[in-house]
Amino acid sequence: SMLQNMRQGIFTIVSGNSIHPEYSAYLKEIFETEEIASTSVLTFLFDDSDVGSDAKSQMEAALDSMLDEDSMMFEFNSHLLTTHYTKFFARNRSKSLELDWNPVLNPNGQIEKLMVTVRDVTELRILQSKAEEQKVELDIIGQILALSKEKLVEFVEGAYAFLNENRTLIEKNSVKNLEIIATLFRNIHTIKGNARTYGLTYITDRAHEAETTYNQM
């Protein structure tokens, strides 16, 4: 009854890294499939996802080393088990999923199977992302308000002057010229220094990225 009605995906992994036939009904809703029982757990969870082949290979080795072995093998290898990833579905849809892995022990203290809990946190991640965006915007506004109007205008006018000079130099030069690149670098470096002086950390970071690109060139 619990497996049929809970709003979480729960299943167990048995020998051979396959999914036991008993699992929560909500698992079918999360993964949008009926083909669950006795399938390979790594195929079921991570095909069509952002989990790479190397990570899957490490998880396969970790699972092989756990099942039917002493409980300490879970402690040694659990860090290799993915706990958050993105699963892709038809029509360019995706879900953000969180996993909890827990060993189920037999009376001898050996790992009889692993229980996996799956949560669909897609909406939560979207809300977190929006909250983070708002936090950044408020932080930027706070940095601007901390400056006097005169200092802000001075910085903005100076930054645009350097950016416009860089834009002109780039448009007028179609081949690599180290002297021109050095000028581009100095202009961005000056913007970065001025932004740091006024506590405009986001501009400082972006300018540093551009500066690094010029330095590599």
Side-chain angles (χ1 to χ4, degrees):
S1 178
M2 288 175 61
L3 289 175
Q4 290 301 313
N5 293 285
M6 64 174 58
R7 300 292 290 176
Q8 282 192 8
I10 293 183
F11 65 90
T12 53
I13 307 170
V14 294
S15 294
N17 296 339
S18 63
I19 297 176
H20 190 277
E22 293 181 355
Y23 52 84
S24 65
Y26 194 59
L27 197 65
K28 294 185 286 188
E29 186 172 330
I30 294 177
F31 289 90
E32 302 179 12
T33 181
E34 299 279 341
E35 298 179 5
I36 299 176
S38 302
T39 62
S40 164
V41 63
L42 296 180
T43 298
F44 174 72
L45 289 176
F46 302 119
D47 275 9
D48 300 317
S49 76
D50 63 351
V51 178
S53 57
D54 183 59
K56 286 190 281 189
S57 177
Q58 290 188 67
M59 281 190 281
E60 183 177 18
L63 293 174
D64 287 339
S65 70
M66 293 180 196
L67 291 170
D68 301 322
E69 299 294 337
D70 191 273
S71 60
M72 67 179 179
M73 297 305 295
F74 180 81
E75 302 299 328
F76 291 157
N77 295 281
S78 60
H79 66 283
L80 297 172
L81 303 176
T82 294
T83 56
H84 176 258
Y85 72 107
T86 300
K87 179 84 170 177
F88 303 110
F89 295 87
R91 299 188 297 278
N92 295 321
R93 295 178 301 112
S94 64
K95 295 181 181 180
S96 184
L97 304 179
E98 286 186 350
L99 306 176
D100 283 332
W101 307 75
N102 293 283
V104 178
L105 307 181
N106 64 20
N108 297 321
Q110 294 175 318
I111 301 173
E112 183 176 297
K113 50 191 173 183
L114 290 173
M115 184 174 71
V116 181
T117 305
V118 186
R119 292 183 298 277
D120 184 352
V121 294
T122 306
E123 294 300 323
L124 177 61
R125 294 289 177 178
I126 291 173
L127 292 174
Q128 289 175 334
S129 178
K130 289 181 178 178
E132 185 62 29
E133 289 175 3
Q134 291 178 340
K135 179 182 176 183
V136 169
E137 289 180 2
L138 290 173
D139 199 15
I140 291 172
I141 291 171
Q143 292 180 6
I144 292 172
L145 293 177
L147 296 176
S148 67
K149 179 181 178 181
E150 291 74 18
K151 289 182 178 179
L152 179 62
V153 170
E154 179 184 0
F155 170 77
V156 170
E157 290 179 345
Y160 271 112
F162 287 120
L163 289 172
N164 288 333
E165 181 182 357
N166 277 16
R167 183 178 292 108
T168 300
L169 290 171
I170 292 170
E171 290 173 349
K172 289 185 176 181
N173 290 272
S174 58
V175 296
K176 186 173 182 178
N177 184 317
L178 293 181
E179 291 184 5
I180 296 298
I181 293 173
T183 301
L184 298 174
F185 177 90
R186 284 195 300 271
N187 287 346
I188 291 294
H189 183 74
T190 303
I191 293 175
K192 185 180 81 169
N194 292 341
R196 181 182 290 149
T197 298
Y198 291 130
L200 302 172
T201 59
Y202 294 93
I203 296 177
T204 303
D205 292 341
R206 299 293 84 75
H208 180 74
E209 292 171 6
E211 182 186 63
T212 300
T213 300
Y214 288 138
N215 190 48
Q216 290 171 343
M217 293 173 65

